[in-house]
Amino acid sequence: VARNNFHGRTTTIISFSDDETARRGFGPYTPGFRPVPFGDAAAAADAVDERTVAILIEPIQGEAGIIVPPDDYLPRLRELCNQRNVLLIADEIQAGLARTGRTFACEHWGVVPDVYLLGKALGGGVVPLSAVVADSDVLGVLHPGEHGSTFGGNPLAAAVGSTVVSMLRRGEYQTRSTELGRHLHNRLRGLIGHGVVAVRGLGLWAGVDIDPALGTGKHLSMKLAERGVLVKDTQGATLRFAPPLVVTAEEIDWAVDQFADALADSRP
Ligand SMILES: Cc1ncc(COP(=O)(O)O)c(C=O)c1O
């Protein structure tokens, strides 16, 4: 697993989290995980031994601040997993389903993992739905009745998920995300030096580091909420812009204008 990951809040998952607010007071922790720096394929290779089952990563780390890895990272992990007979699991719960301009973020690097973890947009933003997707030689280890959940397989959520998959088949949202994402990133980069320190990300997904002199990310996200723009803060001084894929260029302009005004208002 990668350092600074975010894969959820169940006991096993928080066992390898670096986030003390998610870990503290919970447990006992599940042993056996080896956290190595995200983006460092050599460190991942060093951590693999004959007992390793899988490498689990977010292709672009979301909660960590929308961290895009070096271009050779995912291809090298894929090669490592092939050589050592280890599964590559891509958590695309935030990055997947057209958010970055491709159906899966892994496609930016031509990598197909063995397992995809999907959620969030899979439910169209209206119903809770998540999925573990893999070939039957992987998922076939589970048999009916061995695993389940009260809300798993909810018929309405499954119908919404199927519709989302059909909509993604058209490619329209991937194209929108690429083109409007370019616009969003250009506009946000225009604020560098005006309260913004750095802009990262791909498609309609941007991590924006703000000048700490203007206040915390939380403070700015609250100011933006008052102006009608919902942007989640993370890591103290980062804001995450993840507008719906149906957003228009005019709405992006309006939102970035609100952001510029909120930054100007926050100047000491
Ligand atoms: C990248 C990522 N992985 C996993 C999860 C956890 O998903 P769930 O809340 O369905 O356990 C989240 C939730 O925010 C997430 O963003």
Side-chain angles (χ1 to χ4, degrees), residues 57-239:
I57 41 102
E58 298 156 84
I60 297 173
Q61 286 192 322
E63 296 293 319
I66 315 206
I67 310 296
V68 183
D71 278 340
D72 64 347
Y73 181 57
L74 266 90
R76 285 179 65 189
L77 289 188
R78 179 67 276 179
E79 205 181 307
L80 171 67
C81 289
N82 291 349
Q83 281 169 358
R84 305 294 297 272
N85 194 25
V86 160
L87 295 175
L88 181 60
I89 306 177
D91 179 343
E92 296 242 10
I93 286 171
Q94 286 196 37
L97 307 180
R99 170 59 53 202
T100 69
R102 303 287 172 92
T103 305
F104 300 113
C106 286
E107 287 174 43
H108 286 286
W109 298 281
V111 164
V112 179
D114 301 293
V115 182
Y116 289 108
L117 310 182
L118 303 176
K120 301 203 194 291
L122 189 60
V126 287
V127 290
L129 180 64
S130 50
V132 178
V133 181
D135 289 342
S136 54
D137 58 341
V138 176
L139 280 187
V141 299
L142 290 173
H143 302 105
E146 286 176 0
H147 187 68
S149 112
T150 304
F151 297 112
N154 174 276
L156 174 64
V160 170
S162 290
T163 304
V164 166
V165 171
S166 325
M167 289 168 81
L168 286 171
R169 217 170 261 145
R170 304 203 297 259
E172 175 194 340
Y173 292 99
Q174 292 85 332
T175 305
R176 283 186 73 79
S177 181
T178 302
E179 290 171 359
L180 291 167
R182 207 172 289 134
H183 182 59
L184 173 68
H185 281 263
N186 282 340
R187 286 289 325 264
L188 289 171
R189 274 198 296 269
L191 297 176
I192 291 177
H194 302 276
V196 167
V197 177
V199 179
R200 293 175 299 276
L202 279 171
L204 277 173
W205 205 25
V208 178
D209 293 341
I210 53 169
D211 178 351
L214 302 190
T216 61
K218 181 84 186 167
H219 164 81
L220 260 158
S221 75
M222 299 302 282
K223 286 199 126 191
L224 279 168
E226 280 166 22
R227 293 168 178 268
V229 182
L230 297 180
V231 172
K232 172 82 169 61
D233 63 297
T234 186
Q235 302 292 323
T238 301
L239 292 177

